[in-house]
Structures are given as structure tokens and as C-alpha cells.
């Protein structure tokens, strides 16, 4: 092979690579624009969003007993920036995920696209479900528990009153939302693994007792060091694991039915 042929082959392989890089840059720019727009919008409404996040605490403590403080000059401003980043990432996720899918999709077969798309949709849905569990169930329980530890002054006792800091409140809520959102991806991950044949429903059933222990370990790592938060994550994890067994079993039955259908079609072709 001559040097000229080598150069032609290099140029032929370079062109698709450059096209992929250009497309990747385009997808990244669109994703960053979506995040930037969502960030600006969330920052503009940061105070309103923060007030919405305080509703579970206000509902438990009552408006007259709900007081939040900040001790740093720029603390509340930084909290608004964090809240805008958190909200911007959450709101722009569908656009970012779509850009990732559109970049990867040309390299997938049609049946692979059909298999991948439902999991792409299910991921934010289950994350949102985990966030709603934190907002509507876990946070009121945590607030009620924290308020019950207050101490009235008198008879030689000091007054111990809960005065949440705006940054601590947001940080704890974000940690719990991330922990529950990630943990609630369990059915999506296990069902995907079941679809590609890495795990089976029988294997999941056999490992159930080990997962119960693992659920409490995961809860201890992802949640604050209090029993209430750990139980509120460990119990839903066990329920999600049971749901994953049923989901993987359904995927197996569907795969078996499709395989039998393909076999029947292949057997019928020679007869035609």
C-alpha cells in the first residue's frame, strides 16, 4: 500500500470522527443552553421556590412557629444560587437526556432504540417519585421529630428552640432528594439488566435476604445519621426491589413470547 493510499484511508476515517465531534459539540451547546435558561428562570423565582420547599415544615410547625435564619451576609444569596442550580439541572434534564439520546441513537438498531427509550423516560419519572416521597412523607416526619426535641425554659432549665438555617434546611432537603431519587432508580436499573440477560427474576428472589441488609446499608450511607431517615429510605427500597422482581419477570415473559413468535415465523417461511 502506497503512502497516498495511507493518506486517503486516514482522511476517510478522519471525516466521520470530525462529524461526530461537531455533532457532540452541537448537542453539548444545546444542553448547556437549556441548563442556562432553566438556571436563570429558577434564580428569578428562587425565593418563591424556597418558600414552596418550606411548606412541609410550616405545615407541621405552624406559620407562627416557623422561623428561618441566616448568619452570613451572603448566605441567603448563595442558597438562592444553589437552589437555581438544583432546579435548573432538574428542569433541563429532559432536554439534556434527549440530546444524549439523539447523539447515541444513530448507532443503535431499531429494536435497541425501542428498548432504550422507555428507560430514558422512566429515569426522571422515578426520580420525581422519590422527590415527592421526601417532600410529602419523609420531610414532615423529620420536621415533627426535630420539633419534638425542643425544650421549654424554666425550673432551672434552659430554653432549647429549633431555629433552622436557610442553608442547612436546603442542604438537607437536597441530600434527601438526591438520595431518594437515586435509590428510586432501582427498578429501572434492574429491569434494564434483566432485559439484557444479566440478571433474572429467580436470581433476584434468591438474593432477597441479602438485599434487605443492603437496603439498610444504602440508607445509612445516603441519608443523615438518624433512624427515621434511614427507615424512610430502607422500607421503600425493599418495596421497589419486590416491584423490580415482578418487572424483570414481565420482561422475561415478553422476551420469551417474542422469541417464540420469531421461531414460529422462521418455521413458517419454508412452507410458503
Amino acid at each position: 500500500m502506497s503512502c497516498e493510499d495511507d493518506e486517503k484511508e486516514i482522511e476517510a476515517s478522519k471525516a466521520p470522527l470530525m462529524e461526530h465531534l461537531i455533532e457532540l459539540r452541537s448537542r453539548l451547546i444545546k444542553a448547556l443552553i437549556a441548563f442556562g435558561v432553566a438556571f436563570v428562570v429558577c434564580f428569578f423565582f428562587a425565593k418563591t421556590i424556597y418558600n414552596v420547599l418550606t411548606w412541609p415544615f410550616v405545615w407541621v410547625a405552624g406559620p407562627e412557629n416557623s422561623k428561618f435564619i441566616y448568619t452570613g451576609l451572603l448566605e441567603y444569596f448563595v442558597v438562592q444560587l444553589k437552589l437555581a442550580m438544583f432546579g435548573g439541572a432538574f428542569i433541563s434534564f429532559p432536554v439534556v437526556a434527549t440530546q444524549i439520546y439523539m447523539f447515541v441513537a444513530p448507532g443503535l438498531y431499531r429494536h435497541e432504540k425501542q428498548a432504550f427509550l422507555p428507560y430514558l423516560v422512566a429515569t426522571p419519572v422515578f426520580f420525581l417519585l422519590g422527590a415527592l416521597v421526601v417532600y410529602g412523607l419523609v420531610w414532615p416526619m423529620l420536621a415533627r421529630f426535630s420539633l419534638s426535641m425542643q425544650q421549654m425554659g424554666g425550673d432551672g432549665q434552659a430554653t432549647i428552640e429549633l431555629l433552622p438555617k436557610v442553608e442547612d434546611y436546603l442542604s438537607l432537603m437536597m441530600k434527601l432528594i438526591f438520595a431518594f431519587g437515586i435509590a428510586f432508580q432501582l427498578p429501572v436499573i434492574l429491569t434494564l439488566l434483566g432485559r439484557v440477560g444479566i440478571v433474572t427474576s429467580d436470581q433476584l428472589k434468591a438474593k432477597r435476604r441479602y438485599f434487605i441488609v443492603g437496603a439498610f446499608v444504602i440508607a445509612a450511607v445516603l441519608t443523615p445519621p438518624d433512624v427515621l431517615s434511614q427507615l424512610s429510605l430502607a422500607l421503600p427500597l425493599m418495596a421497589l426491589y419486590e416491584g423490580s422482581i415482578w418487572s424483570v419477570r414481565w420482561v422475561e415473559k415478553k422476551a420469551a413470547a417474542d422469541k417464540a413468535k420469531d421461531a414460529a415465523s422462521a418455521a413458517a417461511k419454508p412452507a410458503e
Side-chain angles (χ1 to χ4, degrees):
M1 183 179 291
S2 63
C3 295
E4 185 178 352
D5 293 335
D6 289 338
E7 291 179 359
K8 289 182 179 180
E9 184 176 352
I10 292 174
E11 290 297 325
S13 62
K14 186 185 298 183
L17 177 60
M18 292 302 298
E19 291 177 3
H20 288 313
L21 291 176
I22 292 173
E23 184 182 1
L24 178 61
R25 183 185 64 178
S26 174
R27 301 297 180 192
L28 289 175
I29 291 174
K30 291 178 181 178
L32 289 174
I33 291 175
F35 172 76
V37 172
F39 173 84
V40 172
V41 173
C42 288
F43 183 76
F44 184 78
F45 294 100
K47 291 183 178 180
T48 302
I49 297 173
Y50 193 89
N51 287 332
V52 172
L53 294 179
T54 60
W55 283 353
F57 185 89
V58 175
W59 176 68
V60 173
E64 66 282 357
N65 298 320
S66 301
K67 182 180 180 181
F68 293 80
I69 64 171
Y70 60 93
T71 57
L73 294 177
L74 297 177
E75 181 178 340
Y76 192 33
F77 176 74
V78 174
V79 166
Q80 293 180 49
L81 287 177
K82 290 181 179 180
L83 187 58
M85 292 183 64
F86 179 75
F90 187 81
I91 294 174
S92 63
F93 177 81
V95 178
V96 175
T98 301
Q99 294 302 317
I100 294 174
Y101 176 76
M102 293 178 68
F103 179 74
V104 176
L108 300 177
Y109 292 107
R110 183 177 179 182
H111 68 278
E112 291 176 336
K113 294 179 183 179
Q114 295 175 348
F116 182 69
L117 190 59
Y119 299 100
L120 188 64
V121 175
T123 298
V125 171
F126 276 89
F127 189 93
L128 179 61
L129 181 61
L132 291 176
V133 170
V134 172
Y135 187 82
L137 179 63
V138 177
W139 202 257
M141 292 172 55
L142 188 60
R144 189 174 290 108
F145 175 76
S146 300
L147 289 168
S148 67
M149 300 180 67
Q150 294 183 115
Q151 177 178 288
M152 299 296 295
D155 296 332
Q157 292 182 341
T159 299
I160 301 177
E161 185 179 2
L162 175 63
L163 294 174
K165 292 181 61 178
V166 291
E167 184 173 8
D168 292 344
Y169 185 91
L170 179 64
S171 297
L172 182 56
M173 177 165 279
M174 288 174 59
K175 288 179 182 178
L176 287 175
I177 288 177
F178 272 120
F180 276 72
I182 294 172
F184 271 57
Q185 301 303 314
L186 183 67
V188 179
I189 296 173
L190 291 180
T191 305
L192 182 60
L193 293 177
R195 187 180 183 91
V196 298
I198 296 178
V199 299
T200 64
S201 58
D202 292 334
Q203 289 176 340
L204 294 178
K205 287 174 63 177
K207 303 297 183 181
R208 181 187 283 121
R209 65 182 67 181
Y210 301 106
F211 181 80
I212 293 175
V213 178
F216 283 95
V217 174
I218 294 172
V221 173
L222 295 180
T223 61
D226 63 273
V227 178
L228 188 63
S229 299
Q230 293 175 6
L231 283 175
S232 61
L233 179 57
L235 295 178
L237 273 177
M238 289 186 285
L240 290 170
Y241 188 81
E242 294 296 326
S244 300
I245 296 176
W246 288 95
S247 179
V248 173
R249 185 178 301 164
W250 177 80
V251 167
E252 290 172 345
K253 290 181 179 179
K254 187 175 183 300
D258 292 341
K259 187 176 181 180
K261 184 178 178 180
D262 293 340
S265 300
K269 283 183 179 180
E272 295 175 356

